[in-house]
Amino acid sequence: MIFPDLVADLKARLPALRGRLMANQSLAELTWFRVGGPAQALFMPEDEADLGDFLAHLPAEIPVVVIGLGSNLIVRDGGVPGVVIRLGRGFGEVKVEDGPRIRAGTAAPDVKVSRVAQEAAIAGLAFFRGIPGAVGGALRMNGGAYGRETKDALIEARGVDRSGRLRVFSNGDMHYSYRHCGAPDDIVFTQALFQGAPGGCRGLKVGGAQVSEMHCNFLINLGSATAADIETLGETVRRRVKENSGVELEWEIMRIGVA
């Protein structure tokens, strides 16, 4: 199916648009099922400001649908009228903040949140490893796995509404229930802040050395570690355990030679 072209008019309204705006763009390759028709217009904003500007100038009668990584989505063969928004690399950053907390863009895969938390020895976010898709979908669906849900870790989410305004939602504002979010349907979520807890050092890496994910008292060489990597990793574990529990770990491994 071919829809009437919306893109020419939208580009005329938005000469400063920086993201990609494409007419009759196939959506099949953007979903895990690899099926379905086109979007009448597909918009991939450059960043949050670009998204806000686009929505502020989009005529109210044009419907908007947001998709993520397409892991939980079937696009019907007739396609999707109006505008489909898909957030890209400008919304994919995941970073560690004091707290310990993780701030993640909504285009970031859920597994990336889990991995970054693990590498920073932040506990409580490992359940994201079991959720397919991206952070935006987890926010919208209260995604969960292994006995925890997004609502158990979320501090706040932010997004852009249909008029282009930036909005911030506390955990309570999301009105979560099982696999459901009560935030307004017109919000395009752009970022989430998650609360973790100080963890042990399972999986922690320094260079080519890693704390075993099976046994936290084992250090392993991933294949490219130097002696300095292994020793630094061990000292890092000792320091973190001391800071978090007050326990002073002692080396059982004998260390000889010149550093």
Side-chain angles (χ1 to χ4, degrees), residues 235 238-239 241-243 245-251:
E235 291 298 335
R238 293 182 71 237
R239 185 185 74 250
V241 170
K242 176 68 172 178
E243 290 171 351
S245 69
V247 175
E248 186 83 48
L249 296 181
E250 297 293 338
W251 282 92

PDB file of all heavy atoms in Angstrom, residues 235 238-239 241-243 245-251:
ATOM      1  N   GLU A 235      42.288  -5.299  44.078  1.00  0.00           N
ATOM      2  CA  GLU A 235      42.300  -4.170  45.010  1.00  0.00           C
ATOM      3  C   GLU A 235      41.002  -3.376  44.933  1.00  0.00           C
ATOM      4  O   GLU A 235      40.526  -2.845  45.945  1.00  0.00           O
ATOM      5  CB  GLU A 235      43.507  -3.266  44.731  1.00  0.00           C
ATOM      6  CG  GLU A 235      44.850  -3.883  45.081  1.00  0.00           C
ATOM      7  CD  GLU A 235      44.973  -4.202  46.579  1.00  0.00           C
ATOM      8  OE1 GLU A 235      44.271  -3.554  47.393  1.00  0.00           O
ATOM      9  OE2 GLU A 235      45.758  -5.097  46.933  1.00  0.00           O
ATOM     10  N   ARG A 238      38.503  -5.298  46.959  1.00  0.00           N
ATOM     11  CA  ARG A 238      38.770  -5.108  48.387  1.00  0.00           C
ATOM     12  C   ARG A 238      38.262  -3.744  48.869  1.00  0.00           C
ATOM     13  O   ARG A 238      37.642  -3.645  49.935  1.00  0.00           O
ATOM     14  CB  ARG A 238      40.270  -5.229  48.665  1.00  0.00           C
ATOM     15  CG  ARG A 238      40.861  -6.610  48.443  1.00  0.00           C
ATOM     16  CD  ARG A 238      42.343  -6.657  48.795  1.00  0.00           C
ATOM     17  NE  ARG A 238      42.547  -6.558  50.236  1.00  0.00           N
ATOM     18  CZ  ARG A 238      43.280  -5.626  50.824  1.00  0.00           C
ATOM     19  NH1 ARG A 238      43.911  -4.704  50.103  1.00  0.00           N
ATOM     20  NH2 ARG A 238      43.407  -5.605  52.141  1.00  0.00           N
ATOM     21  N   ARG A 239      38.513  -2.706  48.070  1.00  0.00           N
ATOM     22  CA  ARG A 239      38.088  -1.355  48.464  1.00  0.00           C
ATOM     23  C   ARG A 239      36.563  -1.241  48.518  1.00  0.00           C
ATOM     24  O   ARG A 239      35.998  -0.691  49.462  1.00  0.00           O
ATOM     25  CB  ARG A 239      38.642  -0.324  47.485  1.00  0.00           C
ATOM     26  CG  ARG A 239      38.337   1.116  47.903  1.00  0.00           C
ATOM     27  CD  ARG A 239      38.783   2.132  46.883  1.00  0.00           C
ATOM     28  NE  ARG A 239      37.901   2.135  45.724  1.00  0.00           N
ATOM     29  CZ  ARG A 239      38.243   1.690  44.523  1.00  0.00           C
ATOM     30  NH1 ARG A 239      39.450   1.186  44.315  1.00  0.00           N
ATOM     31  NH2 ARG A 239      37.382   1.741  43.523  1.00  0.00           N
ATOM     32  N   VAL A 241      34.283  -3.647  48.867  1.00  0.00           N
ATOM     33  CA  VAL A 241      33.716  -4.429  49.958  1.00  0.00           C
ATOM     34  C   VAL A 241      33.917  -3.705  51.284  1.00  0.00           C
ATOM     35  O   VAL A 241      33.006  -3.650  52.129  1.00  0.00           O
ATOM     36  CB  VAL A 241      34.339  -5.838  49.997  1.00  0.00           C
ATOM     37  CG1 VAL A 241      33.934  -6.573  51.275  1.00  0.00           C
ATOM     38  CG2 VAL A 241      33.912  -6.635  48.770  1.00  0.00           C
ATOM     39  N   LYS A 242      35.077  -3.110  51.475  1.00  0.00           N
ATOM     40  CA  LYS A 242      35.359  -2.352  52.699  1.00  0.00           C
ATOM     41  C   LYS A 242      34.412  -1.168  52.830  1.00  0.00           C
ATOM     42  O   LYS A 242      33.839  -0.908  53.899  1.00  0.00           O
ATOM     43  CB  LYS A 242      36.808  -1.870  52.680  1.00  0.00           C
ATOM     44  CG  LYS A 242      37.200  -0.990  53.854  1.00  0.00           C
ATOM     45  CD  LYS A 242      37.232  -1.750  55.168  1.00  0.00           C
ATOM     46  CE  LYS A 242      37.800  -0.899  56.272  1.00  0.00           C
ATOM     47  NZ  LYS A 242      37.790  -1.591  57.572  1.00  0.00           N
ATOM     48  N   GLU A 243      34.194  -0.432  51.717  1.00  0.00           N
ATOM     49  CA  GLU A 243      33.331   0.747  51.748  1.00  0.00           C
ATOM     50  C   GLU A 243      31.875   0.386  52.018  1.00  0.00           C
ATOM     51  O   GLU A 243      31.168   1.123  52.705  1.00  0.00           O
ATOM     52  CB  GLU A 243      33.432   1.500  50.416  1.00  0.00           C
ATOM     53  CG  GLU A 243      34.775   2.189  50.192  1.00  0.00           C
ATOM     54  CD  GLU A 243      34.908   2.745  48.784  1.00  0.00           C
ATOM     55  OE1 GLU A 243      34.026   2.455  47.928  1.00  0.00           O
ATOM     56  OE2 GLU A 243      35.890   3.469  48.531  1.00  0.00           O
ATOM     57  N   SER A 245      30.634  -2.698  53.276  1.00  0.00           N
ATOM     58  CA  SER A 245      30.290  -3.609  54.372  1.00  0.00           C
ATOM     59  C   SER A 245      31.178  -3.481  55.596  1.00  0.00           C
ATOM     60  O   SER A 245      30.864  -4.018  56.652  1.00  0.00           O
ATOM     61  CB  SER A 245      30.354  -5.063  53.869  1.00  0.00           C
ATOM     62  OG  SER A 245      31.697  -5.427  53.595  1.00  0.00           O
ATOM     63  N   GLY A 246      32.304  -2.807  55.429  1.00  0.00           N
ATOM     64  CA  GLY A 246      33.244  -2.698  56.529  1.00  0.00           C
ATOM     65  C   GLY A 246      34.160  -3.890  56.676  1.00  0.00           C
ATOM     66  O   GLY A 246      35.036  -3.908  57.544  1.00  0.00           O
ATOM     67  N   VAL A 247      33.980  -4.914  55.828  1.00  0.00           N
ATOM     68  CA  VAL A 247      34.797  -6.131  55.896  1.00  0.00           C
ATOM     69  C   VAL A 247      36.111  -5.909  55.152  1.00  0.00           C
ATOM     70  O   VAL A 247      36.123  -5.411  54.022  1.00  0.00           O
ATOM     71  CB  VAL A 247      34.046  -7.328  55.289  1.00  0.00           C
ATOM     72  CG1 VAL A 247      34.951  -8.557  55.242  1.00  0.00           C
ATOM     73  CG2 VAL A 247      32.785  -7.616  56.086  1.00  0.00           C
ATOM     74  N   GLU A 248      37.199  -6.286  55.777  1.00  0.00           N
ATOM     75  CA  GLU A 248      38.529  -6.139  55.176  1.00  0.00           C
ATOM     76  C   GLU A 248      38.931  -7.473  54.552  1.00  0.00           C
ATOM     77  O   GLU A 248      39.277  -8.429  55.258  1.00  0.00           O
ATOM     78  CB  GLU A 248      39.544  -5.739  56.238  1.00  0.00           C
ATOM     79  CG  GLU A 248      40.928  -5.421  55.693  1.00  0.00           C
ATOM     80  CD  GLU A 248      41.040  -3.994  55.158  1.00  0.00           C
ATOM     81  OE1 GLU A 248      40.627  -3.063  55.854  1.00  0.00           O
ATOM     82  OE2 GLU A 248      41.550  -3.838  54.034  1.00  0.00           O
ATOM     83  N   LEU A 249      38.866  -7.596  53.228  1.00  0.00           N
ATOM     84  CA  LEU A 249      39.288  -8.817  52.554  1.00  0.00           C
ATOM     85  C   LEU A 249      40.805  -8.888  52.491  1.00  0.00           C
ATOM     86  O   LEU A 249      41.482  -7.870  52.352  1.00  0.00           O
ATOM     87  CB  LEU A 249      38.711  -8.862  51.132  1.00  0.00           C
ATOM     88  CG  LEU A 249      37.187  -8.923  50.988  1.00  0.00           C
ATOM     89  CD1 LEU A 249      36.822  -8.977  49.504  1.00  0.00           C
ATOM     90  CD2 LEU A 249      36.609 -10.127  51.704  1.00  0.00           C
ATOM     91  N   GLU A 250      41.315 -10.106  52.555  1.00  0.00           N
ATOM     92  CA  GLU A 250      42.759 -10.327  52.467  1.00  0.00           C
ATOM     93  C   GLU A 250      43.062 -11.171  51.230  1.00  0.00           C
ATOM     94  O   GLU A 250      42.297 -12.075  50.875  1.00  0.00           O
ATOM     95  CB  GLU A 250      43.274 -11.052  53.724  1.00  0.00           C
ATOM     96  CG  GLU A 250      43.103 -10.264  55.013  1.00  0.00           C
ATOM     97  CD  GLU A 250      43.965  -9.018  55.062  1.00  0.00           C
ATOM     98  OE1 GLU A 250      44.975  -8.967  54.319  1.00  0.00           O
ATOM     99  OE2 GLU A 250      43.628  -8.100  55.837  1.00  0.00           O
ATOM    100  N   TRP A 251      44.176 -10.869  50.592  1.00  0.00           N
ATOM    101  CA  TRP A 251      44.618 -11.655  49.433  1.00  0.00           C
ATOM    102  C   TRP A 251      45.015 -13.068  49.869  1.00  0.00           C
ATOM    103  O   TRP A 251      45.739 -13.248  50.835  1.00  0.00           O
ATOM    104  CB  TRP A 251      45.837 -11.000  48.775  1.00  0.00           C
ATOM    105  CG  TRP A 251      45.516  -9.819  47.905  1.00  0.00           C
ATOM    106  CD1 TRP A 251      45.484  -8.519  48.280  1.00  0.00           C
ATOM    107  CD2 TRP A 251      45.248  -9.857  46.492  1.00  0.00           C
ATOM    108  NE1 TRP A 251      45.171  -7.720  47.196  1.00  0.00           N
ATOM    109  CE2 TRP A 251      45.026  -8.514  46.078  1.00  0.00           C
ATOM    110  CE3 TRP A 251      45.136 -10.882  45.555  1.00  0.00           C
ATOM    111  CZ2 TRP A 251      44.724  -8.169  44.775  1.00  0.00           C
ATOM    112  CZ3 TRP A 251      44.843 -10.534  44.240  1.00  0.00           C
ATOM    113  CH2 TRP A 251      44.647  -9.193  43.857  1.00  0.00           C
TER     114      TRP A 251
END
